[in-house]
Each structure stands twice: as structure tokens, then as C-alpha cells.
Amino acid sequence: MNCPLDTRENTQLLLDYCTRKLEPDSVAILERHIAICAACRELARGQRAVWHALDAWEAAPVSADFDSRLYRRIEAQVPWWTLVVRPFRPPFRTVTLWRSLPALAMACLLVVAGVVLERPAGAPAPAATDRAQVDSVQPEQVEHALDAMEMLNEFSRHVRTDSPDSKL
Amino acid sequence: MAKRVKTDIGTAAAVLDFDTELMLRVKEGDGASFGVLLEKHRSSLVYFLYRMMQNHAVAEELAQEVFLRVYRSRSTYEPTAKFTTWMFRIATHLALNALRDGKNERAQDRLDDDTSDMPVRQVSDRRPSVEQSMVYRAKLDEVRRAIAALPEKQRVAVLMHKYEEMEYSQIAKVLSCSESAVKSLLFRAYETLRARLAHMA
Amino acid sequence: MGNPGNPVERLMAMPPEKREQVLEKLPPQQQANLRQRLERFDKLPAAERARLNQMWSTFNSLPPEKQAIVTRQMQAFNNLPEARREDLKPVLQRLRRMPEDRRNALLNSPAFKDRFSATELEMLTDISQNYPLPGR
Ligand SMILES: [Zn+2]
């Protein structure tokens, strides 16, 4: 290959290479070049060093009262009841929202709706609503779910240190 | 007509984005979904603004303003872009204005003090020596000064590329410029940073 | 944002007499304790409740063996001395955001091995692998 340093556009290849964003086949070609080109080798070394240096800069945690301050500001502007929501969204509301989108979009939404924010990548989507389940809940399952939520809540407070104390 | 087509494309693209779905729920009056968006993006937004402004209090103030604007625009919200693109566009706009207003002018003077906010890394059974933590602080200080010295747009591009791990296309949308302009900004920024920081390897 | 899969939400959604039937299956002391916990849960602000539901769904979507690992390590993390937790926190959050290959590279780096004890490394690895933050 020509030396990527010859044109600015191609130099981007080296940056992508150092940030591991480059496609594997391009990596192979570039690595063959780097092996024989001192200038590219030096740039790659420098770029990696910059990357590591930037890694060291961690931001301080968000203040514990960030949310409460924000909600106070929001409440000062809007009536409080617009913030109060029903924990159970009646099914027809969901349907109305979805119906307003094109069919393709709806198909995507059905997938997306099963995906939960903090769901680990690659984990299977939680089962869709099963009305039959509602009647078969066991008290031990309830206790177990509460245990899990308490633990997760404590963990999330610790990794954030910026949430108001939960009353759970 | 043209507008209609644009909206459809925007909607189709944004549908893949769960944040957009949440924001549409906020638009419908669902405050809990706003809480989820806040939870999901609070830290990365504050960190981005902190690295932009290099002052924690100013960063939080600006982040509050971003979320407030997001909430205020809920009724007119249209999913024409990815939610995070929209959010970072607001944040960048506010940060650049604040920098021009000199809101963080004390921050530059406080670079040295401010590192004391950072937890000094230590292993429970092996505390770092005073010397080690001084070396660490000095390095951190060098990084912060190098970033602060970058021209504004280059700084935004680097922070989004490095810490937010955004694609060139998304950075381009946040900065309202072409992808090749973003690559050029990053090229120049990293060139400067290599000159200043490569010795730290 | 109610979660139909969460047993707690399923119980709360039941008509009172059906809910009683479920609770009455427990011995009195355990029953009283659970009622108290449910009452606390029910009093939470909606946003907080939605957040808890979300975390539960994520956790619940893991296979049982991963749930066990996450539980063990999270409890260990929650029980660390505060100062130590503060040190680990930013690192853990960064690891949870990283793609797998970068995370592994970092976790296996000499710098990391130098900075954290073996138990801590295991904690960082287990939590970030099994309970990562979603990509942007
Ligand atoms: Zn070359």
C-alpha cells in the first residue's frame, strides 16, 4: 500500500487502527505497511501513548443532589402533576403510540420494547407479557425480586454516588 | 413534501434508538421515561461538560440546563436525529457559549487545585507513595492542559471521539459539519496532542 | 413503565383479595415482613420505581449462573469500605461501557494487576462482563 501519511484522509486509517476501529482486513494490510515504514510506526506509537494518557483522565462523580436540583428546577416551571405518572401504562396507550408509527417502525419497536436499558449485551430479551403468569405469582418469587432490586439499587447508588437516597 | 420525506426517514432511523422511544413517551406526558433518560445519560453528559469546561460546578450547571431544555422541548420533540446527537448538540452549544462568556475563567486558574477532587488511586494493601501520586497528578495536569489548549471545535471532537466513543458521522451531526471536516478536526487535534503527550508513554 | 414480568409488580397489579391469597401462603412473621417491604416499594416515586424495574429486568434476563455471579460480586462490592469503593467506581463504570476486547485488554494489563488486588480484579471482571452498561 501507499504510505497513509501521504494524504490527510488516509492518515485517519492510522487513527482508526490505534483506536481499534479498523476492519480486520484493513488492519492486516496496514500492519504489513507499518512493519516497513518508520514514519507510520512512530505515528502509531505516539497515538497509542496519547490514547493511554487520555485514559488516565477520569471525571469526578456527579453530585448526589443533581437529580433533586434538576427536578426542583423543572417543578418550578411545570405543574407537579405533569411529572406524576401511572406506574402501569394502560395497554391502549401503548397501542395508540405504536399505531401512529409506520408498520416497519412498529416491527422494530416491538423488538426494542423488550430491550431494557441496563440489559447486558447479548442477554436474551425478557419474555413478553404473559397474562397467564399474573395469576401464578408465588410469594417467594416476590421476596426474591425485592432482594434483587435492593441489591441492584444499592449497587447503582454506589457506582453513581449521585442519586438521592432511595426509600426502598 | 420534502419535509415529510425527511421526517419519515428520521423516524425510521430513530426507531432503532430506544432513547427516542423514551423521549416520545416523555412527549406523551410520561415523566418516568424522563427519569430513565436522565439516569442513562446523566454521567456521560456531566463528564463531557466537565472535560469541556474543566470545572465540575460549571459542568453540572450546564448539564442541568441541557436536561431542562430537553424536558422543555418535549412537546415539540420530533425524532429527526438520534436522541444523544440532539442532547450533545444542545450541550455543545451551551458549552461553547459558556466558554465564550468566560464562565469557567476561574477554572483555568484552578487547574492545579481541582486535581485534588480526584480520588488518588490506591490499592487497599499498597498505598501509593507521595511521590507516585505526585507523578500521577502531574501527568493528569498535563493531559488537562493539553486538552484545554485545543481550539474549541477540535476539543469537542476529541472528547466525543475518545470518551463518548462516537462515530465520525454522529460527531459530524452534533457539530453540524461534514464527516470529512470531523476527520480533519481530529487529525489536527491528535497531531497537537501527540506533540504534547506522546512522551508520556 | 410497570414491568409485567416483575413478580413484585405482578403482585401489586392483582385485585386486593387475590394479593391476600398469595401473601397468606407465608408464615405470619415472614408475611408481615414482606408486607412492610411491599408498602415501602409502593410508596416510591414513579421514576424511582421505573428505575428499579428496569434494573431488575436487566438482571433477570441473565441466565441463572450469571445471576449468581453478579449477586455475589455486587454484594462484595456493596460491602467494600467506602474509600475503596470510591476508587473502584470510576474504573468499574468505564469497564462496563467498554467493548469486550478493550475491556479484556485493560483487565489483563500489568497496570491493572498492579493497581488492584486479585479479589478486586475478579470483582471488576465479573461485574463488567455480566452486567455491562448499554452502548450508546
Ligand atoms: Zn507509512
Side-chain angles (χ1 to χ4, degrees):
Chain A
M1 77 186 286
N2 294 327
C3 179
L5 293 180
D6 290 345
T7 61
R8 177 172 289 191
E9 188 70 17
N10 285 344
T11 306
Q12 203 58 46
L13 279 177
L14 281 164
L15 295 188
D16 289 344
Y17 170 71
C18 296
T19 55
R20 300 189 185 169
K21 282 184 178 167
L22 208 58
E23 300 296 320
D25 37 348
S26 310
V27 170
I29 298 172
L30 189 62
E31 281 182 343
R32 278 201 295 278
H33 172 77
I34 287 178
I36 54 163
C37 176
C40 281
R41 212 160 40 235
E42 178 53 23
L43 190 143
R45 190 205 61 80
Q47 185 62 22
R48 279 207 199 91
V50 166
W51 210 248
H52 284 298
L54 296 182
D55 270 334
W57 188 17
E58 283 159 8
V62 182
S63 305
D65 62 347
F66 184 88
D67 288 9
S68 54
R69 275 188 290 140
L70 177 64
Y71 282 121
R72 270 202 301 280
R73 288 175 73 177
I74 288 179
E75 279 159 31
Q77 297 184 351
V78 296
W80 63 270
W81 58 84
T82 63
L83 292 170
V84 175
V85 285
R86 311 143 302 276
F88 297 101
R89 294 164 57 81
F92 69 85
R93 278 180 60 85
T94 322
V95 171
T96 349
L97 172 64
W98 287 4
R99 196 183 289 146
S100 64
L101 296 167
L104 168 69
M106 185 165 147
C108 294
L109 266 183
L110 285 169
V111 175
V112 171
V115 178
V116 179
L117 287 184
E118 274 238 340
R119 194 160 60 77
T129 317
D130 182 357
R131 280 284 137 209
Q133 278 188 332
V134 173
D135 299 316
S136 65
V137 56
Q138 294 302 317
E140 292 77 16
Q141 293 177 307
V142 176
E143 286 178 315
H144 196 245
L146 279 168
D147 289 343
M149 286 193 284
E150 281 163 13
M151 174 193 75
L152 293 163
N153 186 43
E154 194 185 345
F155 174 76
S156 90
R157 265 192 303 124
H158 284 150
V159 290
R160 269 161 61 192
T161 58
D162 56 349
S163 73
D165 281 344
S166 171
K167 278 144 209 96
L168 187 69
Chain B
M1 184 64 202
K3 188 173 181 288
R4 164 104 208 122
V5 170
K6 188 167 173 262
T7 310
D8 280 351
I9 293 168
T11 307
V15 142
L16 298 166
D17 175 18
F18 191 42
D19 293 336
T20 306
E21 159 67 0
L22 287 169
M23 194 56 208
L24 286 170
R25 288 189 203 169
V26 177
K27 184 179 181 173
E28 293 234 316
D30 181 359
S33 290
F34 181 76
V36 177
L37 284 169
L38 174 62
E39 164 72 21
K40 196 178 170 202
H41 299 295
R42 180 202 306 107
S43 300
S44 67
L45 187 65
V46 171
Y47 295 170
F48 166 74
L49 288 164
Y50 167 71
R51 292 187 174 107
M52 264 315 275
M53 309 303 293
Q54 307 222 0
N55 177 303
H56 197 71
V58 173
E60 288 203 357
E61 195 187 306
L62 291 177
Q64 295 244 323
E65 187 59 33
V66 174
F67 282 118
L68 208 55
R69 288 189 186 199
V70 166
Y71 191 77
R72 258 192 248 141
S73 0
R74 70 197 180 284
S75 55
T76 52
Y77 175 75
E78 288 299 333
T80 49
K82 226 178 143 181
F83 174 81
T84 44
T85 305
W86 179 51
M87 184 183 78
F88 274 99
R89 202 182 291 153
I90 300 174
T92 303
H93 173 79
L94 288 174
L96 294 181
N97 277 349
L99 283 169
R100 282 161 206 160
D101 294 349
K103 254 198 186 173
N104 72 326
E105 57 198 6
R106 282 174 313 136
Q108 298 304 319
D109 310 331
R110 286 181 58 246
L111 266 181
D112 298 283
D113 317 350
D114 212 29
T115 37
S116 59
D117 294 349
M118 293 298 301
V120 179
R121 296 155 164 196
Q122 53 188 244
V123 179
S124 44
D125 38 352
R126 265 180 296 124
R127 290 180 154 268
S129 64
V130 175
E131 202 181 333
Q132 278 172 321
S133 71
M134 275 174 69
V135 170
Y136 171 69
R137 290 229 161 110
K139 281 186 168 182
L140 200 57
D141 202 36
E142 221 177 318
V143 170
R144 297 176 58 173
R145 285 178 195 280
I147 293 280
L150 291 174
E152 289 168 352
K153 274 199 164 182
Q154 289 184 31
R155 198 186 323 169
V156 176
V158 166
L159 296 182
M160 288 196 277
H161 181 246
K162 166 69 185 130
Y163 297 104
E164 306 306 317
E165 292 170 26
M166 279 189 198
E167 304 293 334
Y168 301 124
S169 57
Q170 195 181 2
I171 301 174
K173 282 181 190 136
V174 172
L175 289 174
S176 307
C177 63
S178 66
E179 249 184 84
S180 67
V182 169
K183 289 181 180 177
S184 164
L185 282 172
L186 286 172
F187 173 84
R188 280 178 281 142
Y190 284 126
E191 196 172 43
T192 310
L193 292 176
R194 280 195 301 276
R196 290 185 68 147
L197 303 174
H199 68 93
M200 284 170 65
Chain C
M1 292 294 289
N3 190 319
N6 188 332
V8 180
E9 294 292 7
R10 273 154 55 199
L11 182 75
M12 304 295 253
M14 286 180 178
E17 66 282 2
K18 282 212 156 188
R19 196 184 310 158
E20 280 306 305
Q21 283 169 14
V22 174
L23 291 170
E24 280 164 7
K25 288 182 192 166
L26 290 174
Q29 191 53 47
Q30 210 177 332
Q31 206 183 111
N33 179 283
L34 181 56
R35 279 178 202 279
Q36 258 183 11
R37 294 170 82 191
L38 287 169
E39 205 173 307
R40 274 204 300 275
F41 183 81
D42 200 38
K43 281 187 187 150
L44 292 175
E48 173 76 359
R49 185 161 165 165
R51 192 175 71 82
L52 290 170
N53 267 306
Q54 209 125 48
M55 292 190 295
W56 180 85
S57 297
T58 304
F59 176 77
N60 193 54
S61 68
L62 294 171
E65 67 280 7
K66 287 194 170 188
Q67 283 188 24
I69 294 173
V70 169
T71 301
R72 194 181 67 230
Q73 297 292 26
M74 261 188 197
Q75 280 168 348
F77 182 85
N78 288 343
N79 290 328
L80 282 174
E82 194 181 336
R84 198 59 209 134
R85 216 166 40 218
E86 286 299 303
D87 285 347
L88 286 173
K89 181 179 66 186
V91 182
L92 179 59
Q93 289 300 77
R94 245 179 59 218
L95 288 169
R96 290 177 73 205
R97 262 193 294 272
M98 275 181 190
E100 199 181 343
D101 55 338
R102 277 188 57 200
R103 186 167 61 220
N104 290 340
L106 212 54
L107 283 165
N108 292 316
S109 66
F112 256 61
K113 297 207 163 124
D114 211 38
R115 234 172 101 185
F116 304 106
S117 70
T119 325
E120 285 169 348
L121 273 176
E122 205 173 280
M123 197 184 286
L124 291 171
T125 309
D126 286 344
I127 298 178
S128 59
Q129 252 166 28
N130 297 306
Y131 201 71
L133 286 167
R136 250 176 291 274

